[in-house]
Coordinates of all heavy atoms in Angstrom, one line a residue:
S342 N -11.3 44.9 25.1 CA -9.9 45.4 24.9 C -9.4 45.8 26.3 O -10.1 46.2 27.2 CB -10.0 46.6 24.0 OG -10.5 47.8 24.6
P343 N -8.1 45.8 26.5 CA -7.5 46.1 27.8 C -7.7 47.6 28.1 O -7.8 48.4 27.1 CB -6.0 45.8 27.6 CG -5.8 45.6 26.2 CD -7.1 45.3 25.5
P344 N -7.7 48.0 29.3 CA -7.9 49.4 29.7 C -6.9 50.4 29.2 O -7.2 51.5 28.8 CB -8.0 49.4 31.2 CG -7.5 48.1 31.7 CD -7.5 47.2 30.5
F345 N -5.6 50.0 29.0 CA -4.6 50.8 28.6 C -3.8 50.1 27.5 O -2.7 49.6 27.7 CB -3.6 51.2 29.7 CG -4.3 51.9 30.9 CD1 -4.6 51.2 32.0 CD2 -4.7 53.2 30.7 CE1 -5.3 51.8 33.1 CE2 -5.3 53.9 31.8 CZ -5.6 53.2 32.9
P346 N -4.3 50.1 26.2 CA -3.8 49.3 25.2 C -2.4 49.7 24.7 O -1.7 49.0 24.1 CB -4.8 49.3 24.1 CG -5.6 50.6 24.3 CD -5.5 50.8 25.8
A347 N -2.0 51.0 24.8 CA -0.8 51.5 24.2 C 0.3 51.6 25.2 O 1.3 52.3 25.0 CB -1.1 52.9 23.6
G348 N 0.3 50.8 26.3 CA 1.4 50.9 27.2 C 1.1 51.8 28.4 O 0.0 52.4 28.5
P349 N 2.0 51.8 29.4 CA 1.8 52.6 30.6 C 1.7 54.1 30.3 O 2.3 54.6 29.4 CB 3.0 52.3 31.5 CG 4.0 51.7 30.6 CD 3.3 51.2 29.4
Q350 N 0.8 54.7 31.1 CA 0.7 56.2 31.0 C 0.7 56.8 32.4 O 0.5 56.1 33.4 CB -0.7 56.5 30.5 CG -0.9 56.2 29.0 CD -2.3 56.6 28.6 OE1 -2.5 57.8 28.5 NE2 -3.2 55.7 28.2
I351 N 1.0 58.0 32.5 CA 0.9 58.8 33.7 C -0.3 59.7 33.5 O -0.4 60.4 32.5 CB 2.2 59.6 34.0 CG1 3.3 58.7 34.3 CG2 1.9 60.6 35.1 CD1 4.6 59.3 34.7
V352 N -1.2 59.6 34.4 CA -2.4 60.5 34.4 C -2.3 61.5 35.5 O -2.1 61.2 36.6 CB -3.7 59.7 34.6 CG1 -4.9 60.6 34.6 CG2 -3.9 58.6 33.5
L353 N -2.4 62.8 35.1 CA -2.3 63.9 36.0 C -3.6 64.5 36.4 O -4.5 64.7 35.5 CB -1.4 65.0 35.4 CG 0.0 64.7 35.0 CD1 0.7 65.9 34.3 CD2 0.8 64.3 36.2
S354 N -3.8 64.8 37.6 CA -4.9 65.5 38.1 C -4.4 66.6 39.0 O -3.8 66.4 40.0 CB -5.9 64.7 39.0 OG -6.4 63.6 38.3
V355 N -4.5 67.9 38.5 CA -3.9 69.0 39.2 C -5.0 69.8 39.9 O -6.0 70.1 39.3 CB -3.1 69.9 38.2 CG1 -2.5 71.1 38.9 CG2 -2.1 69.1 37.4
Y356 N -4.8 70.1 41.2 CA -5.7 70.8 42.0 C -5.1 72.1 42.6 O -3.9 72.1 42.7 CB -6.2 69.9 43.2 CG -7.1 68.8 42.7 CD1 -6.6 67.6 42.2 CD2 -8.5 68.9 42.8 CE1 -7.4 66.6 41.8 CE2 -9.3 67.9 42.4 CZ -8.8 66.8 41.9 OH -9.6 65.7 41.4
G357 N -6.0 73.0 42.9 CA -5.5 74.3 43.5 C -6.7 75.1 44.0 O -7.8 74.8 43.7
P358 N -6.4 76.1 44.8 CA -7.5 76.9 45.4 C -8.2 77.8 44.3 O -7.5 78.3 43.4 CB -6.8 77.7 46.5 CG -5.4 77.8 46.0 CD -5.1 76.6 45.2
D359 N -9.5 78.0 44.5 CA -10.2 79.0 43.7 C -10.3 80.3 44.4 O -9.6 80.5 45.5 CB -11.6 78.5 43.3 CG -12.5 78.3 44.5 OD1 -12.2 78.6 45.6 OD2 -13.7 77.9 44.2
F360 N -11.1 81.2 43.9 CA -11.2 82.6 44.5 C -11.6 82.5 46.0 O -11.3 83.3 46.8 CB -12.2 83.4 43.7 CG -12.4 84.8 44.1 CD1 -11.5 85.7 43.9 CD2 -13.6 85.1 44.8 CE1 -11.7 87.0 44.3 CE2 -13.8 86.4 45.3 CZ -12.8 87.4 45.0
F361 N -12.5 81.5 46.3 CA -13.0 81.4 47.7 C -12.1 80.5 48.6 O -12.5 80.2 49.7 CB -14.4 80.8 47.7 CG -15.4 81.7 46.9 CD1 -15.9 81.4 45.7 CD2 -15.8 82.9 47.5 CE1 -16.7 82.2 45.0 CE2 -16.6 83.8 46.8 CZ -17.1 83.4 45.6
G362 N -11.0 80.0 48.0 CA -10.2 79.1 48.8 C -10.5 77.6 48.8 O -9.9 76.8 49.4
H363 N -11.5 77.3 47.9 CA -11.9 75.9 47.8 C -10.8 75.2 46.9 O -10.4 75.7 45.9 CB -13.3 75.7 47.1 CG -14.4 76.3 47.8 ND1 -15.1 77.4 47.4 CD2 -14.9 76.1 49.1 CE1 -16.0 77.7 48.2 NE2 -15.9 76.9 49.3
D364 N -10.5 73.9 47.2 CA -9.6 73.1 46.4 C -10.3 72.6 45.2 O -11.2 71.7 45.4 CB -9.0 72.0 47.3 CG -7.7 71.5 46.8 OD1 -7.0 72.3 46.1 OD2 -7.3 70.3 47.1
V365 N -10.0 73.0 44.0 CA -10.8 72.6 42.8 C -9.8 72.1 41.8 O -8.6 72.4 41.8 CB -11.6 73.8 42.2 CG1 -12.7 74.2 43.2 CG2 -10.7 74.9 41.8
V366 N -10.3 71.3 40.9 CA -9.5 70.8 39.8 C -9.0 71.9 38.9 O -9.8 72.8 38.5 CB -10.2 69.7 39.0 CG1 -11.4 70.2 38.2 CG2 -9.3 68.9 38.1
R367 N -7.7 71.9 38.6 CA -7.1 72.9 37.7 C -6.9 72.3 36.3 O -6.7 73.1 35.4 CB -5.8 73.5 38.3 CG -6.1 74.3 39.5 CD -6.8 75.5 39.2 NE -6.9 76.4 40.3 CZ -7.7 77.5 40.3 NH1 -8.4 77.8 39.2 NH2 -7.8 78.2 41.3
G368 N -6.8 71.0 36.2 CA -6.6 70.4 34.9 C -6.3 68.9 35.0 O -5.9 68.4 36.0
Y369 N -6.6 68.2 33.9 CA -6.3 66.8 33.7 C -5.4 66.7 32.5 O -5.6 67.4 31.5 CB -7.6 66.0 33.5 CG -8.5 66.0 34.7 CD1 -9.7 66.7 34.7 CD2 -8.2 65.2 35.8 CE1 -10.6 66.7 35.7 CE2 -9.1 65.1 36.9 CZ -10.3 65.9 36.8 OH -11.1 65.8 37.9
G370 N -4.6 65.6 32.5 CA -3.8 65.3 31.3 C -3.2 63.9 31.4 O -3.2 63.4 32.5
A371 N -2.8 63.4 30.3 CA -2.1 62.1 30.3 C -1.0 62.0 29.3 O -1.1 62.7 28.3 CB -3.2 61.0 30.0
V372 N 0.0 61.2 29.6 CA 1.1 61.0 28.6 C 1.6 59.6 28.7 O 1.6 59.0 29.8 CB 2.2 62.1 28.9 CG1 2.9 61.8 30.3 CG2 3.3 62.0 27.8
H373 N 2.0 59.0 27.6 CA 2.6 57.7 27.6 C 4.0 57.8 28.1 O 4.7 58.7 27.8 CB 2.6 57.1 26.2 CG 1.2 56.7 25.7 ND1 0.6 55.5 26.1 CD2 0.3 57.4 25.0 CE1 -0.6 55.5 25.6 NE2 -0.8 56.6 24.9
V374 N 4.4 56.7 28.9 CA 5.7 56.7 29.4 C 6.7 56.1 28.3 O 6.3 55.1 27.7 CB 5.8 55.7 30.6 CG1 7.2 55.6 31.1 CG2 4.9 56.2 31.7
P375 N 7.7 56.8 28.0 CA 8.6 56.4 26.9 C 9.3 55.0 27.3 O 9.5 54.7 28.5 CB 9.7 57.5 26.8 CG 9.2 58.6 27.6 CD 8.2 58.1 28.6
F376 N 9.6 54.2 26.3 CA 10.3 52.9 26.5 C 11.8 53.0 26.2 O 12.5 52.2 26.6 CB 9.7 51.9 25.6 CG 8.3 51.4 26.0 CD1 7.2 51.8 25.3 CD2 8.2 50.6 27.1 CE1 5.9 51.3 25.7 CE2 6.9 50.2 27.5 CZ 5.8 50.5 26.8
V377 N 12.2 54.0 25.5 CA 13.6 54.1 25.1 C 14.4 54.7 26.2 O 14.0 55.7 26.8 CB 13.7 55.0 23.8 CG1 15.2 55.2 23.4 CG2 12.9 54.5 22.7
P378 N 15.6 54.1 26.6 CA 16.4 54.7 27.6 C 16.9 56.1 27.3 O 17.0 56.4 26.2 CB 17.6 53.7 27.7 CG 17.1 52.4 27.1 CD 16.1 52.8 26.0
G379 N 17.0 56.9 28.4 CA 17.5 58.2 28.2 C 16.6 59.2 28.9 O 15.6 58.8 29.6
R380 N 16.9 60.5 28.7 CA 16.1 61.6 29.3 C 15.1 62.0 28.3 O 15.5 62.4 27.1 CB 17.0 62.7 29.7 CG 16.3 63.8 30.5 CD 17.3 64.8 31.0 NE 16.6 66.0 31.5 CZ 16.2 66.1 32.8 NH1 16.3 65.1 33.6 NH2 15.6 67.2 33.2
H381 N 13.8 62.1 28.7 CA 12.8 62.5 27.7 C 11.9 63.6 28.4 O 11.6 63.5 29.6 CB 11.8 61.3 27.4 CG 12.6 60.1 26.9 ND1 12.8 60.0 25.5 CD2 13.1 59.1 27.5 CE1 13.5 58.9 25.3 NE2 13.7 58.3 26.5
K382 N 11.6 64.6 27.6 CA 10.7 65.7 28.1 C 9.4 65.7 27.3 O 9.5 65.6 26.1 CB 11.5 67.0 27.9 CG 11.1 68.1 28.9 CD 11.9 69.3 28.6 CE 12.6 69.8 29.8 NZ 13.2 71.1 29.7
R383 N 8.3 65.7 28.0 CA 7.0 65.8 27.3 C 6.2 66.9 27.9 O 6.2 67.2 29.1 CB 6.2 64.5 27.6 CG 6.9 63.2 27.1 CD 6.8 63.1 25.6 NE 7.3 61.8 25.1 CZ 8.5 61.6 24.7 NH1 9.4 62.5 24.8 NH2 8.9 60.4 24.3
T384 N 5.5 67.6 27.0 CA 4.6 68.7 27.4 C 3.2 68.1 27.2 O 2.8 67.6 26.2 CB 4.8 69.9 26.5 OG1 6.2 70.4 26.7 CG2 3.9 71.0 26.9
I385 N 2.4 68.2 28.3 CA 1.1 67.6 28.4 C 0.1 68.8 28.3 O 0.1 69.7 29.2 CB 0.9 66.8 29.7 CG1 2.0 65.8 29.8 CG2 -0.5 66.2 29.7 CD1 2.1 65.2 31.2
A386 N -0.8 68.7 27.4 CA -1.9 69.7 27.3 C -3.0 69.3 28.4 O -3.4 68.2 28.4 CB -2.6 69.7 25.9
M387 N -3.3 70.3 29.2 CA -4.2 70.0 30.3 C -5.6 70.6 29.9 O -5.7 71.5 29.1 CB -3.7 70.7 31.6 CG -2.3 70.3 32.0 SD -2.2 68.6 32.4 CE -3.0 68.6 34.0
F388 N -6.6 69.9 30.5 CA -8.0 70.4 30.2 C -8.8 70.1 31.5 O -8.5 69.4 32.4 CB -8.6 69.6 29.0 CG -8.6 68.1 29.3 CD1 -9.7 67.5 29.8 CD2 -7.6 67.3 28.9 CE1 -9.8 66.1 30.1 CE2 -7.6 65.9 29.2 CZ -8.7 65.4 29.7
V389 N -10.0 70.8 31.5 CA -10.9 70.7 32.6 C -12.3 70.5 32.0 O -12.7 71.0 31.0 CB -11.0 71.9 33.6 CG1 -9.7 72.0 34.4 CG2 -11.2 73.2 32.8
P390 N -13.2 69.6 32.6 CA -14.5 69.5 32.2 C -15.3 70.8 32.5 O -15.0 71.4 33.5 CB -15.1 68.3 33.0 CG -14.2 68.1 34.1 CD -12.9 68.7 33.8
E391 N -16.3 71.1 31.7 CA -17.1 72.3 32.0 C -18.6 71.9 32.2 O -19.0 70.9 31.6 CB -17.0 73.2 30.8 CG -15.8 74.0 30.7 CD -15.9 75.2 29.8 OE1 -16.6 75.1 28.7 OE2 -15.4 76.3 30.1
S392 N -19.3 72.7 32.9 CA -20.7 72.6 33.1 C -21.4 72.8 31.8 O -20.9 73.6 31.0 CB -21.3 73.5 34.2 OG -20.7 73.3 35.4
T393 N -22.5 72.1 31.6 CA -23.2 72.2 30.3 C -24.2 73.4 30.2 O -24.6 73.8 29.1 CB -23.9 70.9 29.9 OG1 -24.7 70.5 31.0 CG2 -22.9 69.8 29.6
S394 N -24.6 73.9 31.3 CA -25.6 75.0 31.3 C -25.0 76.2 32.1 O -24.2 76.0 33.0 CB -26.9 74.6 31.8 OG -26.9 74.4 33.2
R395 N -25.6 77.4 31.8 CA -25.2 78.6 32.6 C -25.6 78.4 34.1 O -24.9 78.9 35.0 CB -25.9 79.8 32.0 CG -25.4 80.2 30.7 CD -24.0 80.9 30.8 NE -23.6 81.3 29.5 CZ -22.3 81.3 29.2 NH1 -21.4 80.9 30.0 NH2 -21.9 81.7 28.0
L396 N -26.8 77.8 34.3 CA -27.2 77.6 35.7 C -26.2 76.7 36.5 O -25.8 77.0 37.6 CB -28.6 77.0 35.8 CG -29.2 76.7 37.2 CD1 -29.2 78.0 38.0 CD2 -30.5 76.1 37.1
Q397 N -25.8 75.6 35.8 CA -24.8 74.7 36.5 C -23.5 75.5 36.7 O -22.8 75.3 37.7 CB -24.5 73.5 35.6 CG -25.6 72.5 35.7 CD -25.4 71.3 34.7 OE1 -24.7 71.5 33.7 NE2 -25.9 70.2 35.0
Q398 N -23.0 76.3 35.7 CA -21.8 77.1 35.9 C -21.9 78.0 37.1 O -21.0 78.1 37.9 CB -21.5 77.9 34.6 CG -21.1 77.0 33.5 CD -21.0 77.8 32.2 OE1 -21.3 78.9 32.1 NE2 -20.5 77.1 31.1
L399 N -23.0 78.7 37.2 CA -23.2 79.7 38.3 C -23.3 79.0 39.6 O -22.6 79.4 40.6 CB -24.5 80.5 38.1 CG -24.8 81.6 39.0 CD1 -23.7 82.7 38.9 CD2 -26.1 82.2 38.8
T400 N -24.0 77.9 39.7 CA -24.1 77.1 40.9 C -22.8 76.5 41.4 O -22.4 76.6 42.5 CB -25.1 75.9 40.7 OG1 -26.4 76.4 40.4 CG2 -25.3 75.1 42.0
S401 N -22.0 76.0 40.4 CA -20.7 75.5 40.8 C -19.7 76.6 41.2 O -18.9 76.3 42.1 CB -20.1 74.6 39.6 OG -19.8 75.5 38.5
W402 N -19.8 77.8 40.6 CA -19.0 78.9 41.0 C -19.3 79.3 42.5 O -18.4 79.5 43.3 CB -19.2 80.1 40.1 CG -18.2 81.1 40.3 CD1 -16.9 81.2 39.9 CD2 -18.4 82.4 41.0 NE1 -16.3 82.3 40.3 CE2 -17.2 83.1 41.0 CE3 -19.5 82.9 41.7 CZ2 -17.0 84.3 41.6 CZ3 -19.3 84.1 42.3 CH2 -18.1 84.8 42.3
F403 N -20.6 79.3 42.9 CA -20.9 79.7 44.2 C -20.6 78.7 45.3 O -20.2 79.0 46.4 CB -22.4 80.1 44.3 CG -22.7 81.5 43.9 CD1 -23.5 81.8 42.8 CD2 -22.2 82.6 44.6 CE1 -23.7 83.1 42.4 CE2 -22.4 83.9 44.2 CZ -23.2 84.2 43.1
T404 N -20.8 77.4 44.9 CA -20.6 76.3 45.9 C -19.2 75.8 45.9 O -18.8 75.1 46.9 CB -21.6 75.1 45.5 OG1 -21.2 74.6 44.3 CG2 -23.0 75.5 45.6
G405 N -18.4 76.2 44.9 CA -17.0 75.7 44.9 C -16.9 74.2 44.4 O -15.9 73.7 44.4
R406 N -18.1 73.7 44.0 CA -18.1 72.3 43.5 C -18.1 72.3 41.9 O -19.1 72.7 41.4 CB -19.2 71.5 44.0 CG -19.2 71.4 45.5 CD -20.2 70.4 46.0 NE -20.0 69.2 45.2 CZ -19.9 68.0 45.8 NH1 -20.1 67.8 47.0 NH2 -19.8 66.9 45.0
R407 N -17.0 72.0 41.3 CA -16.9 72.1 39.9 C -16.9 70.7 39.3 O -16.6 69.7 40.0 CB -15.6 72.8 39.5 CG -15.7 74.2 40.0 CD -14.8 75.2 39.3 NE -14.9 76.5 39.9 CZ -14.0 77.4 40.0 NH1 -12.8 77.1 39.5 NH2 -14.2 78.5 40.5
P408 N -17.2 70.5 38.0 CA -17.2 69.2 37.4 C -15.9 68.6 37.5 O -14.9 69.2 37.3 CB -17.6 69.5 36.0 CG -18.2 70.8 35.9 CD -17.6 71.6 37.1
E409 N -15.9 67.3 37.8 CA -14.6 66.5 37.9 C -14.8 65.1 37.3 O -15.9 64.6 37.4 CB -14.2 66.3 39.4 CG -13.7 67.6 40.1 CD -13.2 67.3 41.5 OE1 -12.5 66.3 41.6 OE2 -13.4 68.1 42.4
F410 N -13.8 64.5 36.8 CA -13.8 63.1 36.4 C -13.6 62.3 37.6 O -12.7 62.5 38.4 CB -12.8 62.8 35.3 CG -13.0 63.5 34.0 CD1 -12.1 64.4 33.5 CD2 -14.2 63.4 33.3 CE1 -12.3 65.0 32.3 CE2 -14.4 64.0 32.1 CZ -13.5 64.8 31.6
T411 N -14.4 61.2 37.8 CA -14.2 60.3 38.9 C -13.3 59.1 38.6 O -12.8 58.4 39.4 CB -15.5 59.8 39.5 OG1 -16.3 59.2 38.4 CG2 -16.3 61.0 40.1
D412 N -13.2 58.8 37.3 CA -12.5 57.7 36.8 C -11.3 58.1 36.0 O -11.5 58.7 34.9 CB -13.4 56.8 36.0 CG -12.8 55.4 35.6 OD1 -11.5 55.3 35.8 OD2 -13.5 54.6 35.2
P413 N -10.0 57.8 36.4 CA -8.9 58.3 35.6 C -8.8 57.7 34.2 O -8.1 58.2 33.3 CB -7.7 57.9 36.5 CG -8.2 56.9 37.4 CD -9.7 57.1 37.6
R414 N -9.5 56.6 34.0 CA -9.5 56.0 32.6 C -10.1 56.9 31.6 O -9.8 56.8 30.4 CB -10.2 54.6 32.7 CG -9.4 53.5 33.4 CD -10.1 52.3 33.4 NE -11.3 52.4 34.3 CZ -12.0 51.4 34.8 NH1 -11.7 50.2 34.4 NH2 -13.0 51.6 35.6
V415 N -11.0 57.8 32.0 CA -11.6 58.8 31.1 C -10.5 59.7 30.5 O -10.5 60.0 29.4 CB -12.7 59.6 31.8 CG1 -13.2 60.7 30.9 CG2 -13.9 58.7 32.2
V416 N -9.6 60.0 31.4 CA -8.5 60.9 31.0 C -7.5 60.1 30.1 O -7.0 60.6 29.1 CB -7.8 61.5 32.2 CG1 -6.6 62.4 31.8 CG2 -8.7 62.3 33.1
A417 N -7.2 58.9 30.6 CA -6.2 58.1 29.9 C -6.6 57.6 28.5 O -5.8 57.7 27.6 CB -5.8 56.9 30.7
Q418 N -7.8 57.2 28.4 CA -8.3 56.6 27.1 C -9.0 57.6 26.2 O -9.0 57.5 25.0 CB -9.3 55.5 27.4 CG -8.8 54.3 28.0 CD -9.9 53.3 28.3 OE1 -10.9 53.6 28.7 NE2 -9.6 52.0 28.1
G419 N -9.5 58.7 26.8 CA -10.3 59.6 26.0 C -11.7 59.1 25.6 O -12.4 59.8 25.0
E420 N -11.9 57.8 26.0 CA -13.2 57.2 25.7 C -14.3 57.9 26.4 O -14.3 58.0 27.6 CB -13.2 55.7 26.0 CG -14.2 54.9 25.3 CD -13.9 53.4 25.5 OE1 -12.9 52.9 25.0 OE2 -14.7 52.8 26.2
G421 N -15.3 58.4 25.7 CA -16.4 59.1 26.3 C -16.2 60.6 26.5 O -17.1 61.4 26.8
R422 N -14.9 61.0 26.3 CA -14.6 62.4 26.4 C -15.2 63.2 25.3 O -15.4 64.4 25.4 CB -13.1 62.6 26.5 CG -12.7 63.4 27.7 CD -11.2 63.6 27.9 NE -10.5 63.7 26.7 CZ -9.2 63.4 26.6 NH1 -8.6 62.8 27.6 NH2 -8.5 63.6 25.5
E423 N -15.4 62.6 24.1 CA -16.0 63.3 23.0 C -17.4 63.9 23.2 O -17.8 64.8 22.6 CB -16.0 62.5 21.7 CG -16.9 61.3 21.7 CD -16.3 60.1 22.4 OE1 -15.2 60.1 22.9 OE2 -17.0 59.1 22.5
V424 N -18.1 63.4 24.2 CA -19.4 63.9 24.5 C -19.4 64.8 25.8 O -20.4 65.2 26.2 CB -20.4 62.7 24.7 CG1 -20.6 62.0 23.4 CG2 -20.0 61.8 25.9
T425 N -18.2 65.0 26.3 CA -18.0 65.8 27.5 C -17.4 67.2 27.0 O -16.4 67.2 26.3 CB -17.0 65.2 28.5 OG1 -17.5 63.9 28.8 CG2 -16.9 66.0 29.7
R426 N -18.0 68.2 27.5 CA -17.5 69.6 27.2 C -16.2 69.8 28.0 O -16.3 69.7 29.3 CB -18.5 70.6 27.4 CG -18.1 72.0 27.1 CD -19.1 73.0 27.4 NE -20.2 72.8 26.4 CZ -21.4 73.5 26.5 NH1 -21.6 74.4 27.4 NH2 -22.3 73.3 25.6
V427 N -15.1 70.1 27.4 CA -13.9 70.4 28.1 C -13.3 71.7 27.6 O -13.6 72.2 26.5 CB -12.8 69.3 28.0 CG1 -13.3 68.0 28.6 CG2 -12.4 69.1 26.5
R428 N -12.5 72.3 28.4 CA -11.8 73.6 28.1 C -10.3 73.4 28.3 O -9.9 72.8 29.3 CB -12.3 74.7 29.0 CG -11.7 76.0 28.9 CD -12.4 77.1 29.7 NE -12.9 76.7 31.0 CZ -12.2 76.8 32.1 NH1 -11.0 77.3 32.2 NH2 -12.8 76.4 33.2
S429 N -9.5 73.9 27.4 CA -8.1 73.8 27.5 C -7.6 74.6 28.7 O -8.2 75.7 29.0 CB -7.4 74.4 26.3 OG -6.0 74.4 26.4
Q430 N -6.6 74.1 29.5 CA -6.3 74.8 30.7 C -4.8 74.8 30.9 O -4.2 74.5 32.0 CB -6.9 74.0 31.9 CG -6.9 74.7 33.2 CD -7.8 75.9 33.3 OE1 -8.6 76.2 32.5 NE2 -7.5 76.7 34.3
G431 N -4.0 75.1 29.8 CA -2.6 75.2 30.0 C -1.8 73.9 29.7 O -2.4 73.0 29.2
F432 N -0.6 73.9 30.2 CA 0.3 72.8 29.9 C 1.2 72.5 31.1 O 1.4 73.4 32.0 CB 1.3 73.2 28.8 CG 0.6 73.5 27.5 CD1 0.2 74.8 27.1 CD2 0.3 72.5 26.6 CE1 -0.5 75.0 26.0 CE2 -0.3 72.7 25.4 CZ -0.7 74.0 25.1
V433 N 1.6 71.2 31.2 CA 2.5 70.8 32.2 C 3.7 70.1 31.5 O 3.4 69.3 30.6 CB 1.8 69.8 33.2 CG1 2.9 69.1 34.1 CG2 0.8 70.5 34.1
T434 N 4.9 70.4 31.9 CA 6.1 69.7 31.3 C 6.6 68.7 32.3 O 6.8 69.0 33.5 CB 7.1 70.7 30.9 OG1 6.6 71.7 30.0 CG2 8.3 70.0 30.3
I435 N 6.8 67.5 31.8 CA 7.3 66.4 32.7 C 8.6 65.8 32.1 O 8.7 65.7 30.9 CB 6.2 65.4 32.9 CG1 6.6 64.4 34.0 CG2 5.8 64.7 31.6 CD1 5.4 63.4 34.4
S436 N 9.5 65.4 32.9 CA 10.8 64.8 32.5 C 10.8 63.4 32.9 O 10.5 63.1 34.1 CB 12.0 65.6 33.0 OG 12.0 66.9 32.5
F437 N 11.3 62.5 32.0 CA 11.4 61.1 32.4 C 12.9 60.8 32.2 O 13.6 61.2 31.3 CB 10.7 60.2 31.4 CG 9.2 60.3 31.4 CD1 8.6 61.2 30.5 CD2 8.5 59.5 32.3 CE1 7.2 61.3 30.5 CE2 7.1 59.6 32.3 CZ 6.4 60.5 31.4
N438 N 13.4 60.0 33.2 CA 14.8 59.4 33.1 C 14.6 57.9 33.0 O 14.4 57.3 34.1 CB 15.6 59.8 34.3 CG 16.0 61.3 34.3 OD1 16.5 61.8 33.3 ND2 15.6 62.0 35.3
I439 N 14.7 57.3 31.9 CA 14.4 55.9 31.6 C 15.7 55.2 31.6 O 16.7 55.6 30.8 CB 13.6 55.7 30.3 CG1 12.3 56.6 30.3 CG2 13.3 54.2 30.1 CD1 11.3 56.2 31.4
M440 N 15.8 54.1 32.3 CA 17.0 53.2 32.3 C 16.8 52.0 31.5 O 15.7 51.5 31.4 CB 17.4 52.9 33.7 CG 17.9 54.1 34.5 SD 18.2 53.8 36.2 CE 19.4 52.4 36.2

């Protein structure tokens, strides 16, 4: 099957500083690009992967290295995400102006 079967998507990876000033992932999300001409607003639910153990959580907090997805297809397709622990991390609103 093709990597993006439902049409084009925008995949977001949002980064920002943590308590120690390290640049860490703040959230991932994806949305399909509308095909209908006009102005469209979409709200994207963002999420972040979580460490699976308390030791990993503590280690990642001290080192500033938190779990990240290396392949944007994981975010776009959701394939394999069902076995990954994720936490909701807010929302991003995006506007499309389609001609």
